[in-house]
Amino acid sequence: MTEVADTAVGTDDAAEPFAVGITVRGYETDTQGHLNQSVYLQYAEHARWSVLQASGIRQSAMVERRIGPVTVETTIRYRRELRAGDEVEVSCAFVWGEGKTFRIEQTVRTTDGTVAAEVSAVCGLLDLTARKLLADPRAAFRELADDPSLLGLTAG
């Protein structure tokens, strides 16, 4: 899978664009021959973990710190069907507001630019000991990231 530039948005500094390339595999399709609806969520999740990794945040570092990302709401808008062999890019843009949650806006786009799906998720960072959302997820991401700009954040 390849990482490619796309769009990212934040309320801090402008984020570096980020997207990850994926090829639709035959076993991900359903009896109608198009990408199964649940796989869009897997593609979105893959892009989210990819941008965290690209920013320098390792999953093991989050576990050591006893925090982890959680999704509290997801909306998917299906625009065009995808079939086995289609090449797509899944973008990942963090949209920051105030408080414990933030949004991640994602677009699944074919190589010719056709939008196949739009995914919008409300997320947070969970304290794995207290089982509550962190009050300031931006601070935690800034602390862990080598390049917080990929997450739409300034360094400090």
Side-chain angles (χ1 to χ4, degrees):
M1 293 186 221
T2 335
E3 292 169 8
V4 205
D6 202 15
T7 28
V9 178
T11 56
D12 272 309
D13 282 352
E16 289 294 319
F18 188 87
V20 64
I22 299 173
T23 301
V24 176
R25 296 164 287 257
Y27 62 83
E28 297 171 326
T29 60
D30 58 22
T31 57
Q32 288 82 23
H34 59 245
L35 187 65
N36 182 277
Q37 53 88 24
S38 67
V39 179
Y40 287 89
L41 292 173
Q42 293 172 13
Y43 287 4
E45 187 74 4
H46 173 69
R48 290 179 209 155
W49 279 106
S50 293
V51 73
L52 289 176
Q53 183 176 1
S55 76
I57 299 175
R58 295 180 339 273
Q59 187 176 20
S60 60
M62 296 179 91
V63 171
E64 288 169 13
R65 174 121 185 256
R66 301 287 305 141
I67 60 173
V70 293
T71 303
V72 297
E73 177 182 304
T74 303
T75 302
I76 304 173
R77 289 177 197 84
Y78 303 99
R79 301 293 188 197
R80 283 277 203 250
E81 69 179 352
L82 293 174
R83 296 183 171 275
D86 286 348
E87 300 280 337
V88 297
E89 291 180 358
V90 184
S91 66
C92 193
F94 284 67
V95 180
W96 297 98
E98 299 301 319
K100 298 177 181 182
T101 62
F102 51 93
R103 283 185 304 119
I104 300 178
E105 299 293 338
Q106 298 180 269
T107 304
V108 179
R109 189 182 315 272
T110 62
T111 54
D112 70 1
T114 302
V115 174
E118 297 165 325
V119 181
S120 179
V122 177
C123 302
L125 279 178
L126 186 68
D127 177 318
L128 298 175
T129 303
R131 308 305 291 180
K132 295 189 184 283
L133 291 178
L134 296 183
D136 189 356
R138 292 194 279 192
F141 277 133
R142 280 187 190 109
E143 183 181 314
L144 289 167
D146 296 330
D147 184 0
S149 70
L150 289 175
L151 309 175
L153 298 170
T154 58

